[in-house]
Amino acid sequence: MDVEPQEWTKLLDRCLLARVKGPKFSAFCKALYSKNPISSSKLANIFIKPRASSALTVDPLIPSYIECLLALEQISVPDALRTLLRYSRLYHSDEALDPRGDQSEDTNELYNGSDLEEILLFRYAKCFTTGGRPKNAHEAYSTLKAVATWMSAIVTASTKDEMMQDLAGVGNSTQPEAIAVREAVGMLVVALAENGRVMSVLDGQCPKGTATLHLVIWSLIAPNGVTFSHVKQTFAHALSLYIPFLSQTSLQIANRLASFQKQYNIYENDASKALGDSMMGGIDVNGLGQLQGVDGVLDGHFVNSRAGLYIYFSAVLVGRPLIDDNMVLNYFSRRYKGDISTLAIDLITTSFDLLSNAMYRKESNQTMFLLRSFLVNKIPTMLTTISTSMFPPLTPEYCITAALNHVDSNVFPSSVLGSGGALSDVRPEFVLTCNLHQLIPQESIMPLLDGNDPMGGSQERYIKEELVHQCTTDHERLEVLLGELEKMDGNAGAIVAALTQIIQNLCYTKETMLLKAICSSLSRRPLSLDVMLLFTSSSDLLLPICQVLNNWKFEEDQGEYQPVYEDFGGILLLVLAYVHRYELSIADLGLSNDGSFIARLLATESISQRTEDIPQEQNEHLGGWIRGLFEAEGISDELMSSCPPQEFYLLVPILFSQSVAACDAAVLDLDTLKGGLEYLLETFLLPSLVSAISWLTGQIWESPSSIPTLLQILQILIKPTSISGDAHSMHQTILSLIANPLEQSLHSLRRRDPTRYDVQPLLQALQPFQTFKRTTASTHSELESWTATHGGGLLASIRNTFQSLVLWSAAPEINLTPPSYTHRQLLVAVKLLGAQRVLSAIVDEVVLQTENGSADLALDIGASLISAPTTAAAREGRLGLREVLKLEVEMLKKEGMGVGSEHERAETVVRLSRRVEEALADFTGQQQQVVDDLMGDLDSAAVAAAADEGGAVMGLEGGGSIGLGDSAQQGGAEDLDAMLGVGSGSEGLGIFDLRGEDGALFEG
C-alpha cells in the first residue's frame, strides 16, 4: 500500500476508536493534508470502503467524516458517488463504473449496506441544496455522469432481480432497503434539478469567462469521444429509464423528476420529445393528476420562508411557553433538513423579529419580558445544541454575525449610550450571552457591536451540578438563585435545571419545609414562572409536587399540626398559580383523572356538593370546621389532626355554601361570619381562599338572591382590615389567581344592577392584579379591530395578515420590520367561526398567491399557520385546522379532484396537507434511539479495545477511558501527532514534532 493511504487509514482507525467528533476530525485532516496531500478518489476509497464483511450496522461517524471531507474539498462529490457505487451490491460489472475510476483494488466481495448508501446519498444531495456545489462546470458534468451511472445500475440490478424471481416462480417483491436507496437517488437528482449552477451547465451555459477553460480541461481529462453533449445524452437516457421505474414505488418523487425532465427538455434526442409534452418517460404528466387523484398531485418547490419560523415561535410563546426541546428539534429537523447554517441564522433573526413585533404592537410588559428572556437566555442554549452539528468552515460566530446583519439597528442598536429605545440594550445582552456560552470569543464582542463596549463586565457561567451542590450545602443560596431567574445574563437555563432537580430531590426525600419555601417564593414571581417553562415542561416541574400533595400524610410522632397545614398550603399554592396562570389541565400536570387529590380539587374547585351527597366522614369533618370557625372552639390541633389537609381543601366550597345559606337564613350573623373568616387569612389556611373565591365568583351568576351576602364575604376576603406581614404577600398572589374571573362577574353584576355601589370598591381592589393570567385569549380591542376589517371582518383580517407575511417573506432583506402578527388572531377566528371557515380562507389565499407567482411562499406560510403548536385549553375540544384539513383530503379521495378552478383548489388542499403532515411527523424519535444505541455500543467497543491494548492507546497511560478533553477544542497538527502515535517512541509518520511543552494531548 502507498505511504499516503497508509497514513490516512491510520488516522481513520484512530479517530473511530477514540470517537473523535467532526470539528476535531476536520482539524486532523487539515493538518495531515498539508503534509501529505492525497487524491480525492483514493481518499474516498479509504473512507467508503467496507471495513469488515460482517458489518451489519453503520458507524454514524463515517457519514460525519465524509461530510467533513466534502466541506474541506478533500473529496469531490463525483468521486464519492463512484466509490460508493463500487462497494454497492448494485455493482455487477466493470461497465457500470466510470472509466476513470480506480479499479485496481480487489473488493473481495465486501459491500456496504443500503443504510449507509441511503445516508451518504442524502448527504451528497445536501451539498447541492445548500448552494455550495458545484464549484465549476467540470464538477457539475462529473456529478451528472456519476448520478446517471447510479440510476442505470439501480434499473439494471432491479430488472435482473425481477427476472430471477420470475424464473424461480416467486412473486416480485422489493425490499424496503432497496426502495430507500432508490428514493435517495431520486432526491439527489431533485437536488441537482433545483441547483441553478447545474442546470445552467446542463443547458450549455457555463459561467461567464469560464466556458473556454472548462472545455479545455474536459478535452484533457475526458475519454476519447466523450463530449458535453454525450454526458447530457447519457444522463437523459438514464433519467428516462429511471422515472417510470421509480414511479412503481415512489410516485411523488417520480412526478418531480418528470416535471424536471419536461422543464429542462432532458431527453435523449428530438425523437423522444415527439411523444409530446403530455408524455415523459412513459408517464402521462397532463393526465397524471386526473388518473391518480390525490396521489397524482405534484408537490411544489419547498422553501423555508422567513415567516414560517416567525409563525411557529409566535404560536409557541403566545400563551403558556410550549418550549419542548424534543418537539422543537423535531420541527427543525423536518424544516431545515440538515441546513444548519440557515437554521441558526433564522433562529436568531426570528427571535429579534418577535421582540420587535411585540414592541410595535404595544404588547404587555410581561410579554416583552418573556420574548426578551427567550432571545437572551434560551436562544444561546439552542445554538449550543445546534453547533454540535457544525463543521468547518461553518462556525457559530459566522451564523451570529450573519444574523445580526439582518437585525434592524434602529430598534436594536449596538450601544445603549445615546439611545432611549425600550430595546436598546437587547443586542449587547445577546452578544454577551453568546460569549458566555462560548459561541463567540471575547475579542469578537466589540466588532459585533460596531466597536461599542457593552460595559457588561465578566459574567460567571453557571453549571447545573455546581448550583445543586451549592444549594444543598447552603440553603440561603436558593433564594439568591430565585432572585436571579429574571436576569438577562444567559444563566437562566442552568438555574432552572438546578431548581427543577432540587425540587425533585426534595419531593423524593419529603423535606417539605424547604420545598414550601421554594414554592412560596416562586408563586410570588409570575415572571419567574414563565422563565421556568422556557427550560422545563409543566409536568416535569409539577408532577413530583402533585405526587407529594396527593400522598401527604401526618407523621406518627407529629407534634403540632398548624406548621403541617402551612407547608401543605405553601406547596399547593405553586400548583394553583401555574394552573390559573396558564389554564393547565390535569394532563398538563402529568396526572391522569384517577381520583387523586389534585385531580379532584381542580375538578370541584368552584363546585359545592350537597351535604347529603358526601360521605359520613366528610360530614363530620365539615361539622368540625364550622364549629371551629364560627363557634368558641377555634381551630385546634385536635381538629386539624382529625382532618388531613387534602380533605380540608376539598371541603372549602361546601363550607362556604353552608355559611352563605346560614347568613341568608339569619342563622349566622355578619360579625360572627367576619370573625370566622379571619381564620382563613392566616398563612396556614390562606391558600384555601382560591377555592373559596372561585366558588363565590360562580355564585354571583347563579344566586341573585344571595348577592348581598356574597359581596360582604368578598369584601372581607379581598380587603381585609388587618393581615400579618407574612400573609400579605401570599394574599397578593391569591388575588392575582382569582382576579380575572371575579372581575368579569362583578362587571356583569353592575350591568344588571347599576344601583349597586358596593361593587366598585371591589373592582378597584382587583385592578392591580388583572395582568396575572397568560393565556391565548384576545383582548377586546384586538377583537374589535379584527372584526371591523373592511371586506369580510375577521376572515378578511386573516387574509390581510397572510398577504403581509407573503410580502415580507418575498423580500426580507428590504423589509426588516416584521409584519404585525399575533397567533391570537388565528385562535380566536377558529373559536368564533369554526376551523372549516378559517381553513377555507387560508386555502383561498394560497390559491390567490399562487396565481400571483408566490406559490412556494404561500404554501409554506399556510402550512405553518395550520401546523402551529397550540394547547388543549385553546382548542376547547373543537376540531382544529389540522383535523379539518385531513377530513377535506379524505373527501377528495372519495369524491375526486374536480375540474378547472375546483381542481386547482383541490391540489392546493393536497399540497397543504402534505406540508402539514411533514411538519408534524416524528422524525427524531425512533431514528435517534437507534443512533443512541449504536453510539453506546461503539463507545463500549472503543473502551474495550483500549483495555485490550493495555490501557496505552494513543498516548493514554493507565486504564483510563479515551477522551479528548480540553485539547479537543483546539485541533491542529499537535493533536495529530498523538492520534497517529508520533513522538513517543511508537511507530508513526516520523515527520511531526509539534508537541507542547507538557506533551499532554489527551485527558485520560
Side-chain angles (χ1 to χ4, degrees):
M1 184 182 289
D2 295 339
V3 175
E4 292 173 356
Q6 184 179 14
E7 297 160 0
W8 286 92
T9 300
K10 181 182 289 187
L11 175 64
L12 174 59
D13 292 339
R14 295 296 176 86
C15 287
L16 289 175
L17 186 62
R19 312 309 299 158
V20 176
K21 304 301 182 184
K24 186 65 177 178
F25 173 77
S26 295
F28 287 150
C29 290
K30 288 180 181 178
L32 183 56
Y33 195 86
S34 65
K35 298 292 183 179
N36 292 272
I38 186 174
S39 68
S40 170
S41 60
K42 287 183 179 180
L43 193 56
N45 191 73
I46 291 171
F47 279 82
I48 298 177
K49 179 179 179 179
R51 302 177 61 79
S53 59
S54 60
L56 299 177
T57 56
V58 179
D59 188 331
L61 287 179
I62 292 293
S64 174
Y65 289 169
I66 294 174
E67 188 166 13
C68 290
L69 293 171
L70 288 168
L72 294 172
E73 298 185 26
Q74 293 175 359
I75 288 181
S76 70
V77 175
D79 283 330
L81 282 167
R82 284 191 287 264
T83 306
L84 186 61
L85 182 58
R86 179 179 298 118
Y87 296 110
S88 171
R89 292 185 181 276
L90 296 170
Y91 169 61
H92 294 288
S93 64
D94 291 343
E95 288 76 9
L97 290 173
D98 188 335
R100 296 195 308 112
D102 182 4
Q103 303 172 38
S104 61
E105 198 167 330
D106 184 10
T107 62
N108 294 321
E109 296 185 350
L110 295 181
Y111 301 108
N112 284 316
S114 56
D115 48 357
L116 177 63
E117 294 174 359
E118 179 189 5
I119 293 171
L120 289 181
L121 286 167
F122 275 114
R123 296 289 176 101
Y124 300 160
K126 176 185 171 184
C127 295
F128 294 92
T129 57
T130 56
R133 299 294 179 107
K135 298 296 183 181
N136 49 52
H138 170 247
E139 184 180 27
Y141 272 97
S142 297
T143 302
L144 288 169
K145 192 170 190 305
V147 172
T149 305
W150 263 95
M151 290 190 289
S152 298
I154 290 176
V155 173
T156 302
S158 299
T159 303
K160 180 179 178 181
D161 289 342
E162 291 176 3
M163 291 174 60
M164 296 301 294
Q165 291 173 358
D166 291 338
L167 291 174
V170 180
N172 291 338
S173 62
T174 305
Q175 296 297 323
E177 297 83 0
I179 295 176
V181 174
R182 293 181 190 178
E183 292 179 344
V185 172
M187 292 308 298
L188 176 57
V189 179
V190 170
L192 295 175
E194 295 176 350
N195 186 294
R197 299 181 197 172
V198 174
M199 288 300 98
S200 64
V201 171
L202 194 60
D203 286 339
Q205 301 171 0
C206 293
K208 186 176 181 180
T210 65
T212 302
L213 175 62
H214 294 315
L215 284 169
V216 171
I217 294 175
W218 182 268
S219 67
L220 292 174
I221 65 175
N224 291 334
V226 178
T227 63
F228 282 160
S229 59
H230 177 79
V231 174
K232 180 175 181 180
Q233 289 300 312
T234 300
F235 181 78
H237 174 72
L239 184 62
S240 296
L241 293 175
Y242 197 67
I243 290 175
F245 170 77
L246 185 62
S247 65
Q248 300 171 15
T249 56
S250 308
L251 183 61
Q252 289 188 28
I253 300 177
N255 289 342
R256 295 180 70 175
L257 295 183
S259 178
F260 153 65
Q261 185 182 38
K262 178 182 178 181
Q263 180 180 356
Y264 289 97
N265 193 24
I266 311 298
Y267 297 94
E268 294 181 67
N269 48 54
D270 294 338
S272 62
K273 182 62 176 169
L275 288 172
D277 290 341
S278 64
M279 296 296 296
M280 292 189 297
I283 298 177
D284 182 355
V285 175
N286 291 339
L288 193 58
Q290 300 292 340
L291 293 175
Q292 298 293 338
V294 169
D295 293 333
V297 176
L298 298 177
D299 285 330
H301 178 56
F302 186 90
V303 297
N304 285 329
S305 67
R306 187 169 182 177
L309 201 61
Y310 180 63
I311 293 168
Y312 178 83
F313 278 113
S314 294
V316 164
L317 299 169
V318 67
R320 165 168 59 103
L322 300 175
I323 306 291
D324 179 277
D325 287 343
N326 289 331
M327 178 188 73
V328 172
L329 290 176
N330 174 62
Y331 173 78
F332 288 163
S333 298
R334 282 297 184 187
R335 184 169 181 81
Y336 288 91
K337 298 178 174 63
D339 187 357
I340 302 299
S341 61
T342 304
L343 164 59
I345 294 170
D346 286 357
L347 184 59
I348 298 170
T349 54
T350 296
S351 303
F352 278 97
D353 288 338
L354 292 172
L355 200 50
S356 174
N357 174 59
M359 182 195 70
Y360 286 124
R361 288 183 52 80
K362 298 181 179 179
E363 296 281 359
S364 67
N365 291 334
Q366 291 193 23
T367 296
M368 295 295 291
F369 169 84
L370 175 63
L371 295 176
R372 187 168 177 173
S373 185
F374 174 72
L375 169 62
V376 176
N377 289 317
K378 182 66 178 181
I379 292 300
T381 64
M382 288 186 172
L383 292 175
T384 300
T385 301
I386 294 170
S387 66
T388 59
S389 300
M390 292 183 181
F391 305 109
L394 181 64
T395 64
E397 182 180 0
Y398 166 80
C399 297
I400 292 168
T401 304
L404 290 178
N405 288 335
H406 292 83
V407 173
D408 191 346
S409 58
N410 294 319
V411 180
F412 302 100
S414 299
S415 173
V416 298
L417 298 177
S419 175
L423 304 177
S424 59
D425 49 357
V426 171
R427 187 191 292 249
E429 287 173 349
F430 176 73
V431 171
L432 287 174
T433 303
C434 289
N435 170 248
L436 180 72
H437 287 268
Q438 301 178 354
L439 295 167
I440 58 174
Q442 182 75 25
E443 56 270 19
S444 297
I445 293 178
M446 290 184 64
L448 284 172
L449 297 176
D450 298 332
N452 294 299
D453 187 350
M455 304 172 62
S458 179
Q459 174 70 30
E460 175 191 2
R461 183 180 179 184
Y462 289 167
I463 306 299
K464 168 196 164 185
E465 290 73 17
E466 295 177 0
L467 295 180
V468 172
H469 176 72
Q470 292 169 11
C471 295
T472 302
T473 56
D474 181 10
H475 292 169
E476 293 182 359
R477 178 68 171 144
L478 269 171
E479 190 61 32
V480 175
L481 289 181
L482 287 166
E484 294 181 359
L485 259 180
E486 299 173 15
K487 285 187 175 182
M488 301 294 169
D489 59 4
N491 277 322
I495 297 175
V496 171
L499 288 175
T500 303
Q501 182 66 58
I502 292 169
I503 288 173
Q504 292 172 348
N505 293 343
L506 294 175
C507 290
Y508 179 76
T509 58
K510 293 183 171 58
E511 297 181 50
T512 57
M513 184 177 296
L514 185 56
L515 180 61
K516 175 250 181 182
I518 297 174
C519 293
S520 297
S521 181
L522 272 177
S523 62
R524 293 194 300 268
R525 309 171 191 263
L527 297 181
S528 294
L529 302 185
D530 295 342
V531 177
M532 293 291 290
L533 292 188
L534 285 178
F535 297 94
T536 188
S537 67
S538 56
S539 58
D540 286 346
L541 176 64
L542 298 176
L543 178 58
I545 298 175
C546 291
Q547 291 173 335
V548 167
L549 296 172
N550 287 337
N551 302 319
W552 192 290
K553 293 181 180 179
F554 292 131
E555 300 292 339
E556 294 182 0
D557 57 348
Q558 192 76 53
E560 293 184 84
Y561 290 88
Q562 183 171 318
V564 176
Y565 265 73
E566 188 165 341
D567 289 350
F568 185 93
I571 297 170
L572 175 62
L573 188 58
L574 177 63
V575 177
L576 295 177
Y578 267 106
V579 169
H580 282 262
R581 181 168 176 80
Y582 306 112
E583 295 182 349
L584 299 184
S585 65
I586 296 295
D588 294 327
L589 299 176
L591 297 170
S592 59
N593 197 4
D594 55 1
S596 63
F597 162 66
I598 294 295
R600 293 168 61 196
L601 178 68
L602 298 183
T604 62
E605 190 176 51
S606 59
I607 301 174
S608 171
Q609 294 177 279
R610 297 184 305 172
T611 54
E612 55 266 29
D613 293 335
I614 62 177
Q616 178 62 32
E617 185 180 14
Q618 278 189 303
N619 258 312
E620 294 174 0
H621 292 157
L622 176 62
W625 280 103
I626 289 176
R627 291 189 295 272
L629 289 172
F630 303 119
E631 296 181 9
E633 295 182 13
I635 308 300
S636 63
D637 272 349
E638 180 182 358
L639 171 61
M640 289 186 286
S641 66
S642 66
C643 180
Q646 299 99 319
E647 291 297 326
F648 165 71
Y649 280 91
L650 292 174
L651 285 173
V652 168
I654 308 176
L655 179 62
F656 271 79
S657 174
Q658 294 295 305
S659 301
V660 170
C663 284
D664 288 344
V667 175
L668 186 66
D669 61 72
L670 185 60
D671 290 337
T672 303
L673 176 66
K674 181 178 180 181
L677 294 181
E678 287 178 350
Y679 279 112
L680 300 182
L681 297 173
E682 298 292 333
T683 55
F684 70 101
L685 296 179
L686 194 56
S688 66
L689 293 192
V690 177
S691 294
I693 298 177
S694 295
W695 180 84
L696 293 168
T697 300
Q699 293 305 299
I700 292 177
W701 296 89
E702 299 174 10
S703 304
S705 60
S706 300
I707 291 297
T709 303
L710 296 173
L711 293 179
Q712 289 176 347
I713 294 175
L714 285 171
Q715 183 75 21
I716 296 169
L717 299 180
I718 293 175
K719 301 179 64 178
T721 55
S722 64
I723 189 170
S724 66
D726 292 339
H728 178 71
S729 60
M730 184 180 288
H731 185 258
Q732 300 276 89
T733 300
I734 291 169
L735 291 184
S736 298
L737 270 59
I738 55 83
N740 285 106
L742 178 56
E743 186 251 0
Q744 293 175 13
S745 292
L746 291 175
H747 274 302
S748 173
L749 174 61
R750 192 169 61 175
R751 284 193 296 269
R752 297 197 308 265
D753 187 358
T755 61
R756 296 211 66 95
Y757 297 104
D758 47 358
V759 173
Q760 186 60 30
L762 293 175
L763 289 173
Q764 291 176 345
L766 293 173
Q767 187 60 38
F769 308 101
Q770 294 297 318
T771 60
F772 178 78
K773 274 187 173 292
R774 178 159 189 82
T775 67
T776 57
S778 302
T779 64
H780 292 295
S781 59
E782 285 177 334
L783 190 56
E784 289 176 359
S785 172
W786 295 329
T787 54
T789 302
H790 177 71
L794 188 52
L795 287 180
S797 73
I798 290 179
R799 295 192 65 167
N800 290 345
T801 299
F802 195 109
Q803 293 165 13
S804 65
L805 290 170
V806 171
L807 183 63
W808 179 56
S809 298
E813 303 294 336
I814 300 175
N815 303 318
L816 292 179
T817 303
S820 178
Y821 179 77
T822 173
H823 204 63
R824 294 189 295 268
Q825 181 184 20
L826 193 68
L827 294 175
V828 74
V830 172
K831 181 178 180 180
L832 297 179
L833 305 177
Q836 179 64 57
R837 293 183 63 188
V838 176
L839 177 64
S840 180
I842 292 175
V843 172
D844 290 343
E845 195 58 41
V846 174
V847 172
L848 177 62
Q849 294 299 325
T850 300
E851 295 172 354
N852 294 337
S854 300
D856 299 333
L857 289 174
L859 274 174
D860 185 64
I861 292 171
S864 298
L865 291 170
I866 296 169
S867 62
T870 187
T871 63
R875 296 178 59 179
E876 298 181 352
R878 301 181 182 88
L879 282 179
L881 293 172
R882 306 172 195 172
E883 292 79 14
V884 172
L885 178 61
K886 188 174 182 179
L887 290 174
E888 284 212 11
V889 173
E890 293 299 321
M891 188 66 69
L892 291 175
K893 289 180 180 179
K894 294 179 181 179
E895 299 183 357
M897 302 283 290
V899 295
S901 60
E902 184 181 345
H903 181 80
E904 293 177 3
R905 192 178 192 282
E907 286 186 332
T908 299
V909 170
V910 173
R911 293 189 182 104
L912 276 174
S913 177
R914 289 174 182 168
R915 295 290 178 89
V916 170
E917 288 177 3
E918 183 176 10
L920 299 176
D922 183 10
F923 178 74
T924 59
Q926 184 177 0
Q927 294 186 17
Q928 186 61 47
Q929 184 61 49
V930 172
V931 173
D932 291 343
D933 293 343
L934 180 58
M935 287 298 295
D937 294 341
L938 291 170
D939 288 338
S940 300
V943 173
D948 292 340
E949 292 285 338
V953 178
M954 294 176 293
L956 291 174
E957 296 181 357
S961 61
I962 298 174
L964 296 180
D966 295 335
S967 65
Q969 304 302 320
Q970 300 170 7
E974 301 171 1
D975 293 349
L976 182 64
D977 291 352
M979 180 60 69
L980 298 177
V982 179
S984 58
S986 59
E987 181 181 357
L989 300 180
I991 56 176
F992 293 104
D993 188 19
L994 303 174
R995 281 174 169 269
E997 293 181 0
D998 58 0
L1001 298 176
F1002 296 87
E1003 291 182 352

